[in-house]
Amino acid sequence: MQVYLPDDLYRQVKQRGLPASELLQDAVRAELRRQELLAETDSYLADLVAEVGEPSTHELARAEAVARRILDHHAERGSGARRARS
């Protein structure tokens, strides 16, 4: 297998003395694992929907609101942690 790197990326790898083969292996492993986890998630969700049914519009809206609050909370904590370190 041959892998093409754009010139700018190739130069950066060489300038930093990075092990290109190891980086590629790690990236491919990570992507394969990511895809595996996504497939498992899709399977789990399909099983869950088969068991309990599709969520209602109200349930979806509530879940989105909870997720938004969690994201906002983490964003606030992250910016606070950065300020504390400064």
Side-chain angles (χ1 to χ4, degrees), residues 1-6 9-29:
M1 174 187 295
Q2 291 184 349
V3 177
Y4 168 78
L5 291 177
L9 191 54
Y10 175 81
R11 277 192 303 277
Q12 290 181 45
V13 168
K14 285 300 182 184
Q15 286 172 349
R16 296 173 189 216
L18 297 172
S21 183
E22 286 179 37
L23 290 172
L24 176 60
Q25 290 173 43
D26 290 346
V28 169
R29 281 189 184 97

Side-chain angles (χ1 to χ4, degrees), residues 11-65:
R11 277 192 303 277
Q12 290 181 45
V13 168
K14 285 300 182 184
Q15 286 172 349
R16 296 173 189 216
L18 297 172
S21 183
E22 286 179 37
L23 290 172
L24 176 60
Q25 290 173 43
D26 290 346
V28 169
R29 281 189 184 97
E31 177 59 17
L32 291 172
R33 180 66 177 144
R34 187 186 74 81
Q35 288 184 13
E36 178 183 304
L37 291 172
L38 286 173
E40 289 176 16
T41 300
D42 288 345
S43 176
Y44 171 76
L45 290 174
D47 290 346
L48 190 59
V49 167
E51 183 179 329
V52 299
E54 292 283 343
S56 68
T57 303
H58 174 73
E59 291 167 329
L60 286 173
R62 184 167 181 253
E64 288 173 1

